[in-house]
Short mmCIF file of all heavy atoms in Angstrom, two decimals:
data_model
loop_
_atom_site.label_atom_id
_atom_site.label_comp_id
_atom_site.label_asym_id
_atom_site.label_seq_id
_atom_site.Cartn_x
_atom_site.Cartn_y
_atom_site.Cartn_z
N ASN A 229 0.81 -1.21 0.00
CA ASN A 229 0.00 0.00 0.00
C ASN A 229 0.85 1.27 0.00
O ASN A 229 0.36 2.35 -0.26
CB ASN A 229 -0.92 0.03 1.23
CG ASN A 229 -2.02 -1.00 1.14
OD1 ASN A 229 -2.40 -1.40 0.06
ND2 ASN A 229 -2.52 -1.43 2.28
N HIS A 230 2.17 1.17 0.36
CA HIS A 230 3.01 2.34 0.47
C HIS A 230 4.28 2.23 -0.37
O HIS A 230 5.26 2.90 -0.12
CB HIS A 230 3.40 2.58 1.93
CG HIS A 230 2.23 2.80 2.81
ND1 HIS A 230 1.44 1.77 3.28
CD2 HIS A 230 1.70 3.94 3.31
CE1 HIS A 230 0.48 2.27 4.06
NE2 HIS A 230 0.62 3.58 4.09
N GLN A 231 4.26 1.36 -1.38
CA GLN A 231 5.48 1.16 -2.16
C GLN A 231 5.84 2.41 -2.94
O GLN A 231 5.00 3.16 -3.37
CB GLN A 231 5.30 -0.01 -3.12
CG GLN A 231 4.10 0.14 -4.08
CD GLN A 231 3.94 -1.07 -4.93
OE1 GLN A 231 4.90 -1.68 -5.35
NE2 GLN A 231 2.71 -1.43 -5.23
N THR A 232 7.16 2.61 -3.12
CA THR A 232 7.63 3.79 -3.83
C THR A 232 8.04 3.46 -5.25
O THR A 232 8.24 4.35 -6.06
CB THR A 232 8.84 4.41 -3.10
OG1 THR A 232 9.86 3.41 -2.98
CG2 THR A 232 8.43 4.90 -1.72
N GLY A 233 8.16 2.20 -5.57
CA GLY A 233 8.53 1.80 -6.92
C GLY A 233 7.32 1.79 -7.84
O GLY A 233 6.23 2.22 -7.49
N LYS A 234 7.50 1.28 -9.03
CA LYS A 234 6.42 1.23 -10.01
C LYS A 234 5.36 0.24 -9.57
O LYS A 234 5.64 -0.93 -9.34
CB LYS A 234 6.98 0.81 -11.38
CG LYS A 234 5.94 0.86 -12.48
CD LYS A 234 6.57 0.52 -13.81
CE LYS A 234 5.55 0.56 -14.93
NZ LYS A 234 6.14 0.23 -16.23
N PRO A 235 4.09 0.64 -9.44
CA PRO A 235 3.05 -0.26 -8.96
C PRO A 235 2.69 -1.30 -9.98
O PRO A 235 2.80 -1.10 -11.18
CB PRO A 235 1.86 0.69 -8.70
CG PRO A 235 2.09 1.83 -9.64
CD PRO A 235 3.59 1.97 -9.73
N ARG A 236 2.25 -2.45 -9.47
CA ARG A 236 1.81 -3.53 -10.35
C ARG A 236 0.42 -3.25 -10.90
O ARG A 236 0.03 -3.75 -11.94
CB ARG A 236 1.81 -4.83 -9.55
CG ARG A 236 1.49 -6.09 -10.35
CD ARG A 236 1.74 -7.32 -9.50
NE ARG A 236 1.49 -8.54 -10.23
CZ ARG A 236 0.45 -9.33 -10.01
NH1 ARG A 236 -0.45 -8.99 -9.12
NH2 ARG A 236 0.30 -10.45 -10.69
N GLN A 237 -0.32 -2.41 -10.18
CA GLN A 237 -1.69 -2.12 -10.57
C GLN A 237 -1.77 -1.49 -11.96
O GLN A 237 -1.02 -0.58 -12.29
CB GLN A 237 -2.33 -1.17 -9.54
CG GLN A 237 -3.71 -0.67 -9.93
CD GLN A 237 -4.71 -1.80 -9.96
OE1 GLN A 237 -4.69 -2.66 -9.09
NE2 GLN A 237 -5.55 -1.82 -10.95
N ILE A 238 -2.68 -1.98 -12.77
CA ILE A 238 -2.88 -1.41 -14.10
C ILE A 238 -3.50 -0.02 -13.97
O ILE A 238 -4.46 0.18 -13.24
CB ILE A 238 -3.82 -2.32 -14.93
CG1 ILE A 238 -3.16 -3.67 -15.19
CG2 ILE A 238 -4.19 -1.66 -16.25
CD1 ILE A 238 -1.92 -3.59 -16.03
N GLN A 239 -2.95 0.95 -14.68
CA GLN A 239 -3.52 2.29 -14.70
C GLN A 239 -4.47 2.37 -15.90
O GLN A 239 -4.04 2.44 -17.04
CB GLN A 239 -2.41 3.34 -14.82
CG GLN A 239 -1.40 3.27 -13.69
CD GLN A 239 -2.06 3.56 -12.36
OE1 GLN A 239 -2.86 4.48 -12.24
NE2 GLN A 239 -1.71 2.78 -11.35
N THR A 240 -5.77 2.36 -15.64
CA THR A 240 -6.74 2.32 -16.72
C THR A 240 -7.01 3.72 -17.27
O THR A 240 -6.94 4.71 -16.57
CB THR A 240 -8.08 1.72 -16.26
OG1 THR A 240 -8.58 2.52 -15.18
CG2 THR A 240 -7.88 0.31 -15.78
N MET A 241 -7.35 3.76 -18.55
CA MET A 241 -7.75 5.00 -19.20
C MET A 241 -9.27 5.01 -19.23
O MET A 241 -9.91 4.00 -19.46
CB MET A 241 -7.20 5.06 -20.62
CG MET A 241 -5.69 5.01 -20.70
SD MET A 241 -5.11 4.80 -22.39
CE MET A 241 -5.84 6.22 -23.20
N GLU A 242 -9.86 6.18 -18.98
CA GLU A 242 -11.32 6.24 -18.89
C GLU A 242 -11.86 7.32 -19.82
O GLU A 242 -11.26 8.37 -19.99
CB GLU A 242 -11.75 6.54 -17.45
CG GLU A 242 -11.32 5.45 -16.47
CD GLU A 242 -11.77 5.72 -15.06
OE1 GLU A 242 -12.00 6.90 -14.74
OE2 GLU A 242 -11.89 4.75 -14.30
N ILE A 243 -13.03 7.04 -20.41
CA ILE A 243 -13.67 8.03 -21.25
C ILE A 243 -14.31 9.08 -20.35
O ILE A 243 -14.58 8.84 -19.19
CB ILE A 243 -14.75 7.39 -22.17
CG1 ILE A 243 -15.87 6.77 -21.32
CG2 ILE A 243 -14.15 6.38 -23.10
CD1 ILE A 243 -17.03 6.29 -22.15
N GLY A 244 -14.57 10.28 -20.91
CA GLY A 244 -15.21 11.32 -20.13
C GLY A 244 -14.40 11.72 -18.90
O GLY A 244 -14.96 12.12 -17.89
N ASN A 245 -13.07 11.61 -18.99
CA ASN A 245 -12.19 11.94 -17.87
C ASN A 245 -12.56 11.16 -16.61
O ASN A 245 -12.39 11.63 -15.49
CB ASN A 245 -12.25 13.45 -17.58
CG ASN A 245 -11.68 14.27 -18.72
OD1 ASN A 245 -10.69 13.88 -19.30
ND2 ASN A 245 -12.31 15.37 -19.04
N GLY A 246 -13.09 9.95 -16.79
CA GLY A 246 -13.41 9.11 -15.65
C GLY A 246 -14.72 9.48 -14.98
O GLY A 246 -15.02 8.98 -13.91
N LYS A 247 -15.51 10.36 -15.58
CA LYS A 247 -16.76 10.81 -14.98
C LYS A 247 -17.95 10.47 -15.88
O LYS A 247 -17.83 10.48 -17.11
CB LYS A 247 -16.73 12.32 -14.73
CG LYS A 247 -15.63 12.77 -13.78
CD LYS A 247 -15.64 14.28 -13.62
CE LYS A 247 -14.54 14.74 -12.67
NZ LYS A 247 -14.53 16.21 -12.53
N THR A 248 -19.08 10.17 -15.26
CA THR A 248 -20.31 10.01 -16.02
C THR A 248 -20.81 11.39 -16.41
O THR A 248 -20.93 12.27 -15.55
CB THR A 248 -21.38 9.28 -15.19
OG1 THR A 248 -20.87 8.01 -14.79
CG2 THR A 248 -22.65 9.07 -16.01
N VAL A 249 -21.09 11.59 -17.69
CA VAL A 249 -21.48 12.92 -18.16
C VAL A 249 -22.78 12.85 -18.94
O VAL A 249 -23.16 11.81 -19.48
CB VAL A 249 -20.39 13.56 -19.04
CG1 VAL A 249 -19.10 13.73 -18.25
CG2 VAL A 249 -20.14 12.72 -20.30
N LEU A 250 -23.47 13.99 -18.97
CA LEU A 250 -24.67 14.16 -19.78
C LEU A 250 -24.36 15.22 -20.82
O LEU A 250 -24.04 16.37 -20.49
CB LEU A 250 -25.85 14.60 -18.91
CG LEU A 250 -27.12 15.00 -19.68
CD1 LEU A 250 -27.71 13.81 -20.43
CD2 LEU A 250 -28.16 15.60 -18.74
N ARG A 251 -24.43 14.83 -22.09
CA ARG A 251 -24.22 15.77 -23.19
C ARG A 251 -25.59 16.21 -23.68
O ARG A 251 -26.35 15.41 -24.25
CB ARG A 251 -23.42 15.12 -24.33
CG ARG A 251 -22.02 14.70 -23.91
CD ARG A 251 -21.19 14.20 -25.08
NE ARG A 251 -19.89 13.73 -24.64
CZ ARG A 251 -18.83 14.52 -24.45
NH1 ARG A 251 -18.95 15.81 -24.70
NH2 ARG A 251 -17.69 14.03 -24.03
N LEU A 252 -25.92 17.46 -23.46
CA LEU A 252 -27.21 17.99 -23.87
C LEU A 252 -27.25 18.22 -25.37
O LEU A 252 -26.21 18.29 -26.03
CB LEU A 252 -27.50 19.29 -23.13
CG LEU A 252 -27.63 19.17 -21.60
CD1 LEU A 252 -27.70 20.54 -20.97
CD2 LEU A 252 -28.84 18.34 -21.24
N ALA A 253 -28.46 18.34 -25.90
CA ALA A 253 -28.62 18.56 -27.34
C ALA A 253 -27.88 19.80 -27.81
O ALA A 253 -27.42 19.88 -28.94
CB ALA A 253 -30.11 18.65 -27.68
N SER A 254 -27.74 20.78 -26.92
CA SER A 254 -27.06 22.03 -27.28
C SER A 254 -25.55 21.87 -27.36
O SER A 254 -24.86 22.75 -27.86
CB SER A 254 -27.39 23.10 -26.23
OG SER A 254 -26.87 22.71 -24.96
N GLY A 255 -25.04 20.76 -26.85
CA GLY A 255 -23.61 20.54 -26.82
C GLY A 255 -23.01 20.78 -25.44
O GLY A 255 -21.83 20.44 -25.20
N GLU A 256 -23.78 21.35 -24.52
CA GLU A 256 -23.29 21.57 -23.16
C GLU A 256 -23.09 20.22 -22.46
O GLU A 256 -23.88 19.30 -22.63
CB GLU A 256 -24.29 22.42 -22.37
CG GLU A 256 -23.82 22.74 -20.96
CD GLU A 256 -24.84 23.57 -20.19
OE1 GLU A 256 -25.90 23.91 -20.77
OE2 GLU A 256 -24.57 23.88 -19.01
N VAL A 257 -22.03 20.12 -21.67
CA VAL A 257 -21.70 18.88 -20.98
C VAL A 257 -21.83 19.09 -19.47
O VAL A 257 -21.23 20.01 -18.91
CB VAL A 257 -20.27 18.40 -21.32
CG1 VAL A 257 -19.95 17.12 -20.57
CG2 VAL A 257 -20.13 18.19 -22.82
N LEU A 258 -22.61 18.22 -18.81
CA LEU A 258 -22.80 18.29 -17.36
C LEU A 258 -22.20 17.05 -16.72
O LEU A 258 -22.38 15.93 -17.22
CB LEU A 258 -24.29 18.36 -17.02
CG LEU A 258 -25.09 19.52 -17.63
CD1 LEU A 258 -26.56 19.39 -17.25
CD2 LEU A 258 -24.55 20.86 -17.17
N SER A 259 -21.49 17.23 -15.62
CA SER A 259 -20.95 16.08 -14.88
C SER A 259 -22.02 15.55 -13.95
O SER A 259 -22.51 16.27 -13.07
CB SER A 259 -19.71 16.51 -14.07
OG SER A 259 -19.31 15.45 -13.20
N LEU A 260 -22.39 14.30 -14.11
CA LEU A 260 -23.43 13.70 -13.27
C LEU A 260 -22.88 13.27 -11.92
O LEU A 260 -23.65 12.88 -11.04
CB LEU A 260 -24.07 12.52 -14.00
CG LEU A 260 -24.81 12.89 -15.29
CD1 LEU A 260 -25.44 11.66 -15.93
CD2 LEU A 260 -25.86 13.95 -15.04
N ASP A 261 -21.56 13.31 -11.76
CA ASP A 261 -20.97 12.99 -10.46
C ASP A 261 -21.22 14.11 -9.45
O ASP A 261 -21.20 13.89 -8.24
CB ASP A 261 -19.46 12.75 -10.60
CG ASP A 261 -19.16 11.51 -11.43
OD1 ASP A 261 -20.05 10.65 -11.52
OD2 ASP A 261 -18.06 11.42 -11.97
N THR A 262 -21.45 15.32 -9.95
CA THR A 262 -21.63 16.47 -9.06
C THR A 262 -22.98 17.14 -9.23
O THR A 262 -23.39 17.93 -8.38
CB THR A 262 -20.53 17.51 -9.31
OG1 THR A 262 -20.54 17.91 -10.70
CG2 THR A 262 -19.15 16.94 -8.98
N LEU A 263 -23.70 16.84 -10.29
CA LEU A 263 -25.00 17.48 -10.55
C LEU A 263 -26.02 17.09 -9.50
O LEU A 263 -26.19 15.92 -9.17
CB LEU A 263 -25.50 17.09 -11.94
CG LEU A 263 -26.87 17.65 -12.32
CD1 LEU A 263 -26.77 19.16 -12.57
CD2 LEU A 263 -27.42 16.95 -13.56
N SER A 264 -26.72 18.08 -8.96
CA SER A 264 -27.81 17.83 -8.02
C SER A 264 -29.14 17.93 -8.73
O SER A 264 -29.92 16.98 -8.77
CB SER A 264 -27.74 18.83 -6.86
OG SER A 264 -28.84 18.64 -6.00
N SER A 265 -29.42 19.08 -9.32
CA SER A 265 -30.64 19.27 -10.10
C SER A 265 -30.39 20.42 -11.08
O SER A 265 -29.55 21.28 -10.86
CB SER A 265 -31.83 19.57 -9.20
OG SER A 265 -31.62 20.77 -8.49
N SER A 266 -31.18 20.41 -12.17
CA SER A 266 -31.01 21.44 -13.19
C SER A 266 -32.18 21.42 -14.15
O SER A 266 -32.80 20.36 -14.38
CB SER A 266 -29.70 21.21 -13.96
OG SER A 266 -29.51 22.20 -14.95
N SER A 267 -32.52 22.58 -14.68
CA SER A 267 -33.55 22.68 -15.72
C SER A 267 -32.85 23.06 -17.01
O SER A 267 -32.25 24.13 -17.11
CB SER A 267 -34.59 23.75 -15.35
OG SER A 267 -35.30 23.37 -14.19
N GLU A 268 -32.91 22.16 -17.99
CA GLU A 268 -32.19 22.37 -19.23
C GLU A 268 -33.04 21.96 -20.43
O GLU A 268 -33.58 20.86 -20.48
CB GLU A 268 -30.90 21.52 -19.26
CG GLU A 268 -29.97 21.72 -18.06
CD GLU A 268 -29.18 23.00 -18.12
OE1 GLU A 268 -29.17 23.63 -19.20
OE2 GLU A 268 -28.58 23.38 -17.11
N GLU A 269 -33.21 22.88 -21.39
CA GLU A 269 -33.78 22.56 -22.70
C GLU A 269 -35.07 21.75 -22.61
O GLU A 269 -35.21 20.69 -23.21
CB GLU A 269 -32.74 21.81 -23.54
CG GLU A 269 -31.46 22.61 -23.73
CD GLU A 269 -30.41 21.84 -24.50
OE1 GLU A 269 -30.76 20.89 -25.22
OE2 GLU A 269 -29.23 22.19 -24.39
N GLY A 270 -36.03 22.26 -21.83
CA GLY A 270 -37.33 21.60 -21.76
C GLY A 270 -37.37 20.37 -20.89
O GLY A 270 -38.34 19.62 -20.91
N VAL A 271 -36.29 20.13 -20.11
CA VAL A 271 -36.26 18.93 -19.27
C VAL A 271 -35.73 19.30 -17.88
O VAL A 271 -34.84 20.15 -17.75
CB VAL A 271 -35.39 17.83 -19.91
CG1 VAL A 271 -33.94 18.28 -19.99
CG2 VAL A 271 -35.51 16.53 -19.16
N TYR A 272 -36.31 18.69 -16.86
CA TYR A 272 -35.85 18.90 -15.49
C TYR A 272 -35.04 17.68 -15.08
O TYR A 272 -35.49 16.54 -15.20
CB TYR A 272 -37.04 19.09 -14.55
CG TYR A 272 -36.62 19.22 -13.09
CD1 TYR A 272 -35.95 20.36 -12.65
CD2 TYR A 272 -36.88 18.21 -12.18
CE1 TYR A 272 -35.56 20.50 -11.33
CE2 TYR A 272 -36.48 18.33 -10.85
CZ TYR A 272 -35.83 19.48 -10.43
OH TYR A 272 -35.42 19.60 -9.13
#
C-alpha cells in the first residue's frame, strides 16, 4: 500500500475523464458525479 517503486496495478484509461457525463442537445456537458438538479432545454 506504500510502495515507492512502479506499482503492479494497471492504470486504466477512462472516457469522459473518468466521470459520467450528460451531453445535452445544445452541446453543453454536465458532470453527473456532481450534478444535483437542473432545468435544461425543456427537461428537469
